[in-house]
Amino acid sequence: MELNLVLQNVLTPPVLFFFLGIIAVVLRSDLEIPAPLPKLFSLYLLLAIGFRGGIELEKSGFSDPVLPTVGSAILMSLLIPLICFVILRLRLDVFNSAAIAAAYGSISAVTFITAESFLESQNIQFDGFMVAALALMESPAIIVGLLLVRVAATKERPDSRQMKWGTILHESMLNGSVYLLLGSLLIGFLTAAHNPGGVVKMQPFTGKLFYGAECFFLLDMGIVAAQRLPGLKKAGSFLIFFAVLIPLFNAVLGVFIAKALTLGPGNALLFAVLCASASYLAVPTAMRMSVPEAKASYYISTTLGLTFPFNIIIGIPIYMSLVNTIIPSTS
Amino acid sequence: MELNLVLQNVLTPPVLFFFLGIIAVVLRSDLEIPAPLPKLFSLYLLLAIGFRGGIELEKSGFSDPVLPTVGSAILMSLLIPLICFVILRLRLDVFNSAAIAAAYGSISAVTFITAESFLESQNIQFDGFMVAALALMESPAIIVGLLLVRVAATKERPDSRQMKWGTILHESMLNGSVYLLLGSLLIGFLTAAHNPGGVVKMQPFTGKLFYGAECFFLLDMGIVAAQRLPGLKKAGSFLIFFAVLIPLFNAVLGVFIAKALTLGPGNALLFAVLCASASYLAVPTAMRMSVPEAKASYYISTTLGLTFPFNIIIGIPIYMSLVNTIIPSTS
Amino acid sequence: MELNLVLQNVLTPPVLFFFLGIIAVVLRSDLEIPAPLPKLFSLYLLLAIGFRGGIELEKSGFSDPVLPTVGSAILMSLLIPLICFVILRLRLDVFNSAAIAAAYGSISAVTFITAESFLESQNIQFDGFMVAALALMESPAIIVGLLLVRVAATKERPDSRQMKWGTILHESMLNGSVYLLLGSLLIGFLTAAHNPGGVVKMQPFTGKLFYGAECFFLLDMGIVAAQRLPGLKKAGSFLIFFAVLIPLFNAVLGVFIAKALTLGPGNALLFAVLCASASYLAVPTAMRMSVPEAKASYYISTTLGLTFPFNIIIGIPIYMSLVNTIIPSTS
Amino acid sequence: MKRLDLIFSERELDAILKALEKAGVPGYTVMKHATGRGPDTIVSEDMEFSGLGANAHVIVFCDEEIIKKIKENVTSILNYYGGVAYVSEAIQL
Amino acid sequence: MKRLDLIFSERELDAILKALEKAGVPGYTVMKHATGRGPDTIVSEDMEFSGLGANAHVIVFCDEEIIKKIKENVTSILNYYGGVAYVSEAIQL
Amino acid sequence: MKRLDLIFSERELDAILKALEKAGVPGYTVMKHATGRGPDTIVSEDMEFSGLGANAHVIVFCDEEIIKKIKENVTSILNYYGGVAYVSEAIQL
Ligand SMILES: Nc1ncnc2c1ncn2[C@@H]1O[C@H](COP(=O)(O)O)[C@@H](O)[C@H]1O
Ligand SMILES: Nc1ncnc2c1ncn2[C@@H]1O[C@H](COP(=O)(O)O)[C@@H](O)[C@H]1O
Ligand SMILES: Nc1ncnc2c1ncn2[C@@H]1O[C@H](COP(=O)(O)O)[C@@H](O)[C@H]1O
Ligand code: NA
Ligand code: NA
Ligand code: NA
């Protein structure tokens, strides 16, 4: 059954285009999507995800399942970096450990929307307010990461390099992708509340076009991810194991919490995917600026070179069967 | 009531995304839309505005309200630069005065479409042929601006730099954005006349997608405008007052002429917005080439840093209530 | 009647936008579509053409008209370069002859879709599986071109520059645009077979948007083609005649083969267009890498500067009347 | 051999290239989309959409005589429209 | 006159430009989207979408004294974040 | 220290970088999307969509010995495919 799910996941356009990108690199095709075109799709997806999430949030309100779910998601984005930090410190210094830990506490929006597409292709229902959880898991993970550096690296940094609270908040809240996602969420919310006609007029752009744009972007992500993979070899086997096992561990954690929250299977999968995925947009950007001591190739090749393709290709169906096993279907 | 209109304008997606861009700069977020992505949206909007306008023009024909309205719009684009030039000469030299004057005689297509979106959200009717007025107001303003330089600056320019008629016509008619707008208008017209099937097939691209693309572009325009604002401080308080008061003055002028033309409230607002808005595409490009003596920071920071956001955020609703006051509703 | 068809072709949005681009260059407008925006449209069109072709191929299966047609198309892409090579050798060296010959054996996807748009505007039916022919004509032509260099230029190349089979296959199959087109075809096929819901969700992106994106790209192609034209003058009158007469010759050949295959008028036109069009994407890229002795300006100014606009503007309607003359309508 | 670096607004590119060709340069390289600051104007990337364009950086490797021929025409353009031009030594690899 | 070439991550652009301004440079030119390799990191174009950005190449033509003033601030930034800085001779055209 | 400037078609970038790595350069910087004109070809931005690409400008700061090692491999590539290579003096800031 698991294998069947994997196959069903793999035969959807987004995952097929992701493969097309990976294979292009493997076979050394000269297919490339030159900068800044991928940025266009990345900005578009964040804007559209946020806007649609805001509309859904306005519909659902902040009543029962919403607040506990979003609250738990935020807690997870605080907890996961701490767990990861402890594990990573076994082998890496404070700076690298904190940077990687923050990335795994945060989320990957593209993994999330691939999971949504998977649910849709399986005709499993889920709620739009999960996007609020997605949007609110980025900043806390960055804050925890930077705090870890501040606390654990006092001796290793000259006074002039002490992490200031201003920097921490700036990097965590005003990072371009966090800001666009949260801002679009707010705009979606306000539009749904005060200008329903605007929601309808945005629909062709943020709604209809979304699936195709996702496929195009995943083609590029396949190319990018495959080019990051060699970097992982250099990073060593410890990080390779970490990049596969930690998502699994976090997903299991996520499914149990989803069970405690009595989420349906669709929302439970999305919750697990949020826990399991790692950030390669907001967190690396923040870390590159404020923790230059950490090697960028470590936190990028783990999150983007391994965890991301793992989640997209087999993680999502595995987490789905975890959900099916752990959460008894009520229907 | 005015305040209410401002609020209703501000709570539409285009204006909200414009704010999101402004606030990004104010809070020093690193959100950026790298070149040439904004150019993509700018080209797209011009193409779509022109194409749709051409279709509408073919529908309406050149019968009664069309020709007088378009004619008056062209007259305004000749008259406004002259008025502005006289005022600007109080403080600035010929070159700067002529360049800024030309910009205010011309139009801002994005301000125009934001006004259209505002009318739609207010369920007020307007006519598609107004786009023809928009398209035909660019060139005359540039011609007047260059003629002013030619006439008023004979002493200050060496013979070799004398403005030639060839240059004047080239800069005013073949400027990239003028050319694309007029060309697309013509294509829209021809398509509507000879190939109605083509109109239908273009609709998803030029029609459905438009509103979302407008929002995306306004996000960028918010960033760009906010970054131009500091330049205004350097330009001095005279230009700051000019950049707010002249649009108001031109709008009042526009509303009275709209009344004389017996335009309905929707078309009257659009007419006023055409008069009030200033060009930051075609005119600056033309001036940069042919009047390098004028400071680019002057004509850009006034039009883009102040007049543009002023019009988008509070100008449009103010002009609407002007229209409501001056033109008695017939319904 | 022919003139009438030309006029009907010219008055469709794609061809009108193509003209707009050409005229921009002729009149020296500064309209430009900066890199890499044209690449975005080029990638999009290849992806969408492939994906849609794959869906159609899945629908039609490989039954009777499909396999013979595609097979004949592949044969043509092997035969045409040989004919062209013989003609070109009258005046040019082996390297230039082989490179240009390969380009004319291959196809232009944009010419193909313009022909499709033409058929649609004429309400003439055609089959989606023709895209498979399009996709499979690129590689063979490249292989023939490189083999011609390998065979005919043994004396002129040092040993270290001998063409290896690995290079030949790599350049012909893994060239970025060939790879994307074939890959998207496969993905379209797999999606149609296993995930019909995915087909529906892709439709707004790959289907609805297509016509408008085609127009936008043709605007750019008009600019690019017109800028290649002066290069042709340098190349001399032999190549100018070649670039107009060979497409006509190949089209006639194509129509007779279409007749032998008993294709309907729509498919016959597309078959003729595939034969008549020349590649300015895959083939030049491959030749630039593996046959640097050939002058890029020769194979680009012929294919892009002359053959392409010729086909788009008058070639397609001429081939249509050829089809109407040679293949008796059965309806 | 000499190396000439020219930096100026993209809008003047055609005029500068014409002047270079007239002086008989053997070749040149153009890098567009440069930004920067001169004595009184800041050129930033975010205005590129407007058609104002950014700066162009042109590199020419050529003999000293050609530099002399380039000088007059190019400096007159740069003086009027703005921009900088510097010459340094370079040896072919 | 001197020519200063600075190459470093785009993320540090603001800090470097601030240091240049403080030293009183008469102007500068910035070319973004450069890629490359240093002693231990490879910067490639395909990561630009992530906001990590590529490298910036900054060129400054200025007098020797200003170079001296630039030195301290700029090298401290480059030492911490990475990047290279080289000075060569240049003569105004 | 020396500064090496290489300008050639983007399509040869991999081969050139390989040659540089083989010679043991400490690092390099690549600027793509350069256009220009050589003795007989014009490279323009508007052909980039086709996959033909534009030119790449590669800068290497390195010791003189490495320049010598680079020379043979790189010039053989440039001679076959086209492009230019110039060396000048540079001092670390
Ligand atoms: N001292 C300088 N060093 C490097 N680049 C400069 C310098 N001065 C001016 N530039 C460049 O030349 C462009 C035009 O200069 P200007 O017209 O003098 O403002 C500026 O935007 C800079 O990119
Ligand atoms: N020896 C060198 N020559 C040219 N560019 C270099 C050199 N070393 C480093 N760079 C550039 O400086 C950037 C940052 O260097 P680093 O921080 O030392 O990795 C690299 O990505 C290269 O673009
Ligand atoms: N003398 C030169 N100065 C600057 N750049 C040059 C020169 N000659 C050639 N180039 C550059 O090198 C590229 C390739 O040269 P080529 O292959 O000789 O046509 C050209 O497109 C130019 O960008
Ligand atoms: Na996570
Ligand atoms: Na106006
Ligand atoms: Na052909």
Side-chain angles (χ1 to χ4, degrees):
Chain A
M1 139 129 209
E2 218 165 272
L3 203 72
N4 194 13
L5 275 181
V6 172
L7 211 70
Q8 283 173 28
N9 181 47
V10 162
L11 287 172
T12 58
V15 182
L16 286 170
F17 277 106
F18 186 66
F19 269 115
L20 193 64
I22 291 177
I23 295 167
V25 175
V26 172
L27 296 182
R28 321 198 72 235
S29 162
D30 65 352
L31 177 65
E32 69 160 353
I33 302 178
L37 300 181
K39 181 89 184 185
L40 173 66
F41 288 92
S42 160
L43 290 169
Y44 163 77
L45 291 179
L46 290 171
L47 188 153
I49 293 169
F51 188 80
R52 291 161 50 170
I55 296 171
E56 297 291 333
L57 202 61
E58 200 269 344
K59 261 196 234 152
S60 71
F62 298 94
S63 55
D64 189 31
V66 181
L67 270 194
T69 307
V70 173
S72 310
I74 294 175
L75 281 179
M76 288 306 282
S77 72
L78 296 166
L79 179 68
I80 290 173
L82 295 175
I83 300 174
C84 291
F85 186 74
V86 171
I87 298 172
L88 289 159
R89 282 293 280 133
L90 295 174
R91 291 291 182 91
L92 301 173
D93 63 20
V94 169
F95 300 113
N96 281 301
S97 302
I100 301 174
Y104 281 84
S106 181
I107 51 81
S108 150
V110 177
T111 311
F112 182 82
I113 59 178
T114 313
E116 286 190 337
S117 301
F118 172 77
L119 289 174
E120 279 167 11
S121 77
Q122 299 281 315
N123 290 317
I124 300 173
Q125 209 213 306
F126 59 90
D127 285 310
F129 68 75
M130 291 302 291
V131 170
L134 167 94
L136 294 171
M137 284 177 80
E138 301 236 57
S139 303
I142 296 175
I143 293 175
V144 171
L146 297 183
L147 280 181
L148 284 170
V149 170
R150 186 181 150 115
V151 170
T154 31
K155 292 145 254 165
E156 295 163 57
R157 283 197 149 189
D159 261 16
S160 66
R161 300 286 179 202
Q162 277 316 311
M163 190 77 66
K164 295 186 201 83
W165 269 103
T167 316
I168 294 179
L169 288 178
H170 190 272
E171 287 299 325
S172 60
M173 307 295 295
L174 293 170
N175 181 291
S177 38
V178 176
Y179 178 83
L180 181 57
L181 186 58
L182 287 174
S184 304
L185 190 88
L186 191 63
I187 292 178
F189 192 93
L190 289 173
T191 304
H194 297 104
N195 183 7
V199 171
V200 175
K201 285 169 72 185
M202 286 295 275
Q203 170 62 3
F205 186 72
T206 50
K208 297 254 170 79
L209 215 61
F210 192 83
Y211 195 70
E214 178 190 343
C215 289
F216 199 115
F217 189 56
L218 273 165
L219 171 63
D220 182 64
M221 292 302 291
I223 297 174
V224 176
Q227 275 168 342
R228 295 288 90 67
L229 209 52
L232 245 190
K233 243 189 287 173
K234 275 196 219 155
S237 57
F238 175 69
L239 280 182
I240 296 180
F241 278 109
F242 180 88
V244 171
L245 296 180
I246 275 291
L248 279 171
F249 174 79
N250 290 339
V252 173
L253 217 65
V255 176
F256 276 107
I257 289 173
K259 186 182 176 150
L261 290 164
T262 65
L263 299 179
N267 290 345
L269 176 75
L270 293 180
F271 196 91
V273 164
L274 287 177
C275 295
S277 72
S279 165
Y280 48 75
L281 281 182
V283 178
T285 323
M287 294 301 144
R288 177 71 188 74
M289 275 304 275
S290 28
V291 194
E293 295 92 341
K295 281 200 179 195
S297 66
Y298 281 9
Y299 50 79
I300 290 171
S301 60
T302 44
T303 57
L304 194 50
L306 195 44
T307 300
F308 178 67
F310 174 80
N311 277 332
I312 294 286
I313 299 169
I314 50 172
I316 292 172
I318 291 180
Y319 309 153
M320 191 72 239
S321 54
L322 270 178
V323 166
N324 290 339
T325 317
I326 295 173
I327 302 185
S329 157
T330 45
S331 63
Chain B
M1 144 125 211
E2 220 166 87
L3 202 74
N4 194 14
L5 275 180
V6 172
L7 210 70
Q8 282 173 29
N9 181 47
V10 162
L11 287 171
T12 58
V15 182
L16 287 170
F17 276 106
F18 186 65
F19 269 115
L20 194 64
I22 291 177
I23 296 169
V25 176
V26 172
L27 296 182
R28 324 198 71 234
S29 164
D30 64 351
L31 177 65
E32 67 161 356
I33 301 177
L37 301 181
K39 181 91 183 183
L40 172 66
F41 287 91
S42 159
L43 291 168
Y44 164 77
L45 291 179
L46 290 170
L47 188 154
I49 294 169
F51 188 80
R52 291 161 50 170
I55 296 170
E56 297 291 332
L57 202 61
E58 200 269 342
K59 260 196 236 154
S60 70
F62 299 94
S63 54
D64 186 34
V66 179
L67 270 195
T69 307
V70 172
S72 310
I74 294 175
L75 280 181
M76 289 305 283
S77 72
L78 295 167
L79 179 68
I80 289 173
L82 295 176
I83 300 175
C84 291
F85 185 72
V86 172
I87 298 172
L88 288 160
R89 282 294 280 132
L90 295 174
R91 292 291 182 91
L92 301 173
D93 63 18
V94 169
F95 300 114
N96 281 300
S97 301
I100 301 175
Y104 280 83
S106 181
I107 52 80
S108 150
V110 177
T111 310
F112 182 82
I113 58 178
T114 312
E116 286 190 336
S117 301
F118 172 78
L119 289 173
E120 280 168 10
S121 76
Q122 299 280 316
N123 290 315
I124 300 173
Q125 211 211 304
F126 57 91
D127 285 310
F129 69 74
M130 291 303 291
V131 169
L134 168 93
L136 293 171
M137 284 178 80
E138 302 235 57
S139 304
I142 296 176
I143 293 176
V144 172
L146 297 183
L147 279 181
L148 285 171
V149 170
R150 187 182 150 114
V151 171
T154 30
K155 294 144 253 166
E156 296 163 54
R157 284 197 148 188
D159 262 16
S160 66
R161 300 287 178 202
Q162 277 316 311
M163 190 79 64
K164 297 186 198 82
W165 269 103
T167 316
I168 293 179
L169 287 178
H170 189 272
E171 286 299 324
S172 60
M173 307 296 295
L174 292 171
N175 180 292
S177 37
V178 176
Y179 179 82
L180 180 57
L181 186 58
L182 286 173
S184 305
L185 191 89
L186 191 64
I187 292 178
F189 191 94
L190 289 172
T191 305
H194 298 103
N195 183 5
V199 172
V200 175
K201 284 168 73 187
M202 285 295 273
Q203 169 63 3
F205 186 71
T206 50
K208 295 254 169 78
L209 216 59
F210 192 82
Y211 195 71
E214 177 191 344
C215 289
F216 199 115
F217 189 55
L218 274 165
L219 171 64
D220 183 62
M221 292 303 290
I223 297 174
V224 176
Q227 277 168 342
R228 295 288 88 68
L229 209 52
L232 246 192
K233 245 189 286 173
K234 275 196 219 156
S237 55
F238 174 71
L239 281 181
I240 295 179
F241 279 109
F242 180 88
V244 172
L245 296 180
I246 276 291
L248 279 171
F249 173 79
N250 291 339
V252 173
L253 218 64
V255 175
F256 277 106
I257 290 172
K259 185 182 176 148
L261 291 163
T262 65
L263 298 179
N267 290 347
L269 177 75
L270 294 180
F271 196 91
V273 163
L274 287 177
C275 294
S277 71
S279 165
Y280 47 78
L281 283 182
V283 179
T285 322
M287 294 302 143
R288 176 73 188 73
M289 275 306 274
S290 27
V291 194
E293 295 91 343
K295 280 201 180 193
S297 67
Y298 281 10
Y299 50 77
I300 291 170
S301 60
T302 44
T303 57
L304 194 50
L306 194 45
T307 300
F308 177 67
F310 174 80
N311 278 333
I312 295 285
I313 299 170
I314 51 172
I316 292 172
I318 289 180
Y319 310 152
M320 191 71 241
S321 52
L322 272 176
V323 167
N324 290 338
T325 315
I326 296 173
I327 301 183
S329 157
T330 45
S331 66
Chain C
M1 141 123 210
E2 220 166 87
L3 202 74
N4 193 14
L5 275 180
V6 173
L7 210 71
Q8 281 173 30
N9 182 45
V10 162
L11 287 171
T12 57
V15 183
L16 286 170
F17 277 105
F18 186 64
F19 269 115
L20 193 63
I22 291 176
I23 296 168
V25 175
V26 172
L27 296 182
R28 320 198 72 235
S29 163
D30 65 350
L31 177 65
E32 68 160 356
I33 302 178
L37 300 182
K39 181 89 183 184
L40 173 65
F41 288 91
S42 158
L43 290 169
Y44 164 78
L45 291 178
L46 290 170
L47 187 154
I49 294 168
F51 189 80
R52 290 160 51 169
I55 295 171
E56 298 290 332
L57 202 60
E58 201 270 343
K59 262 197 233 153
S60 70
F62 299 94
S63 55
D64 187 30
V66 181
L67 269 195
T69 308
V70 173
S72 309
I74 294 174
L75 280 179
M76 288 305 282
S77 72
L78 296 167
L79 179 68
I80 289 174
L82 295 175
I83 301 175
C84 291
F85 185 74
V86 171
I87 298 172
L88 288 160
R89 282 293 281 132
L90 296 175
R91 292 290 182 93
L92 300 174
D93 65 18
V94 169
F95 299 114
N96 280 300
S97 302
I100 301 174
Y104 281 84
S106 182
I107 50 82
S108 150
V110 177
T111 309
F112 182 82
I113 59 178
T114 311
E116 286 191 336
S117 301
F118 173 78
L119 290 174
E120 280 168 12
S121 75
Q122 300 281 317
N123 291 314
I124 300 172
Q125 209 211 304
F126 59 91
D127 285 311
F129 68 75
M130 290 303 291
V131 170
L134 167 93
L136 293 171
M137 284 177 80
E138 302 237 55
S139 304
I142 297 175
I143 293 176
V144 172
L146 297 182
L147 280 181
L148 283 170
V149 170
R150 187 181 150 116
V151 171
T154 28
K155 296 145 250 162
E156 296 164 55
R157 283 198 148 189
D159 262 16
S160 67
R161 301 286 178 200
Q162 278 315 311
M163 191 76 65
K164 296 187 198 82
W165 268 105
T167 316
I168 294 179
L169 287 178
H170 190 272
E171 287 299 325
S172 62
M173 307 296 295
L174 292 171
N175 181 292
S177 37
V178 176
Y179 178 83
L180 181 57
L181 186 57
L182 286 173
S184 304
L185 191 88
L186 190 64
I187 292 178
F189 191 93
L190 289 173
T191 304
H194 297 104
N195 183 6
V199 171
V200 176
K201 285 169 72 185
M202 286 296 274
Q203 170 63 2
F205 186 72
T206 50
K208 296 253 169 81
L209 215 60
F210 192 82
Y211 194 71
E214 179 191 343
C215 289
F216 199 116
F217 189 56
L218 274 166
L219 171 64
D220 183 64
M221 293 304 290
I223 298 174
V224 175
Q227 276 168 342
R228 296 288 89 66
L229 209 52
L232 245 191
K233 246 189 286 173
K234 274 195 222 157
S237 56
F238 174 70
L239 281 182
I240 295 180
F241 280 109
F242 181 87
V244 172
L245 297 180
I246 275 291
L248 280 169
F249 174 80
N250 290 340
V252 174
L253 217 65
V255 176
F256 277 106
I257 290 172
K259 186 185 177 143
L261 289 164
T262 67
L263 297 180
N267 291 345
L269 176 75
L270 294 180
F271 196 91
V273 163
L274 288 176
C275 294
S277 72
S279 165
Y280 47 79
L281 282 182
V283 179
T285 322
M287 293 303 144
R288 177 70 188 76
M289 275 304 276
S290 29
V291 194
E293 295 92 343
K295 280 201 180 194
S297 67
Y298 282 10
Y299 49 79
I300 291 172
S301 59
T302 44
T303 57
L304 194 50
L306 196 45
T307 300
F308 178 67
F310 174 80
N311 277 334
I312 295 285
I313 299 169
I314 49 172
I316 292 173
I318 290 180
Y319 310 153
M320 190 72 240
S321 53
L322 271 177
V323 167
N324 290 338
T325 315
I326 297 174
I327 302 184
S329 158
T330 45
S331 63
Chain D
M1 291 284 271
K2 298 285 178 187
R3 172 202 172 115
L4 172 65
D5 283 279
L6 303 162
I7 303 169
F8 50 86
S9 168
E10 280 180 16
R11 303 283 305 179
E12 274 76 62
L13 189 54
D14 284 347
I16 294 275
L17 292 184
K18 225 166 143 187
L20 294 179
E21 293 292 10
K22 218 177 133 194
V25 296
Y28 56 79
T29 296
V30 179
M31 273 167 297
K32 286 169 111 183
H33 314 298
T35 55
R37 181 177 75 65
D40 51 37
T41 358
I42 298 178
V43 175
S44 70
E45 203 184 22
D46 66 353
M47 286 303 297
E48 272 201 314
F49 81 96
S50 70
L52 275 178
N55 290 329
H57 177 192
V58 172
I59 302 174
V60 183
F61 294 105
C62 62
D63 292 329
E64 186 148 18
E65 316 149 53
I66 291 182
I67 294 281
K68 281 180 201 149
K69 283 194 214 152
I70 288 171
K71 188 164 178 171
E72 198 184 352
N73 278 329
V74 165
T75 43
S76 101
I77 298 174
L78 296 185
N79 286 344
Y80 190 61
Y81 290 103
V84 293
Y86 286 87
V87 181
S88 48
E89 293 293 322
I91 300 161
Q92 200 167 355
L93 178 75
Chain E
M1 291 284 272
K2 297 286 176 184
R3 170 202 173 115
L4 173 65
D5 283 278
L6 302 163
I7 303 169
F8 50 86
S9 168
E10 279 180 15
R11 302 284 305 178
E12 272 76 63
L13 188 55
D14 284 346
I16 294 275
L17 292 184
K18 224 164 142 187
L20 293 179
E21 292 291 11
K22 219 176 132 192
V25 296
Y28 54 78
T29 296
V30 179
M31 275 166 296
K32 287 168 111 182
H33 315 296
T35 55
R37 180 177 76 65
D40 50 37
T41 356
I42 298 177
V43 174
S44 70
E45 202 186 22
D46 67 352
M47 287 303 295
E48 271 202 313
F49 82 95
S50 71
L52 275 179
N55 290 331
H57 177 193
V58 173
I59 303 175
V60 183
F61 295 105
C62 62
D63 293 328
E64 187 149 18
E65 314 150 54
I66 290 181
I67 295 281
K68 280 179 201 153
K69 281 194 215 153
I70 288 171
K71 186 162 181 172
E72 197 184 353
N73 278 329
V74 164
T75 44
S76 101
I77 298 174
L78 296 185
N79 285 344
Y80 190 59
Y81 290 102
V84 293
Y86 285 86
V87 181
S88 47
E89 293 294 322
I91 299 164
Q92 200 167 353
L93 179 74
Chain F
M1 292 283 273
K2 297 284 178 189
R3 171 201 173 116
L4 173 65
D5 283 278
L6 303 163
I7 303 170
F8 50 87
S9 168
E10 280 180 16
R11 302 283 308 178
E12 274 75 65
L13 189 55
D14 283 347
I16 294 276
L17 292 185
K18 223 163 142 186
L20 294 180
E21 293 290 12
K22 218 176 132 194
V25 296
Y28 55 80
T29 296
V30 180
M31 274 167 298
K32 289 169 108 182
H33 314 298
T35 55
R37 181 178 75 67
D40 51 36
T41 358
I42 296 178
V43 174
S44 70
E45 203 184 23
D46 66 352
M47 287 302 296
E48 273 202 312
F49 82 96
S50 70
L52 276 178
N55 290 330
H57 176 191
V58 172
I59 303 174
V60 183
F61 295 105
C62 64
D63 293 328
E64 185 148 20
E65 315 149 54
I66 291 181
I67 294 282
K68 280 178 201 152
K69 282 194 215 154
I70 289 171
K71 187 163 179 170
E72 198 184 352
N73 278 329
V74 165
T75 43
S76 100
I77 298 174
L78 296 185
N79 286 345
Y80 189 60
Y81 289 103
V84 293
Y86 286 87
V87 180
S88 47
E89 293 294 323
I91 299 164
Q92 199 167 355
L93 178 74

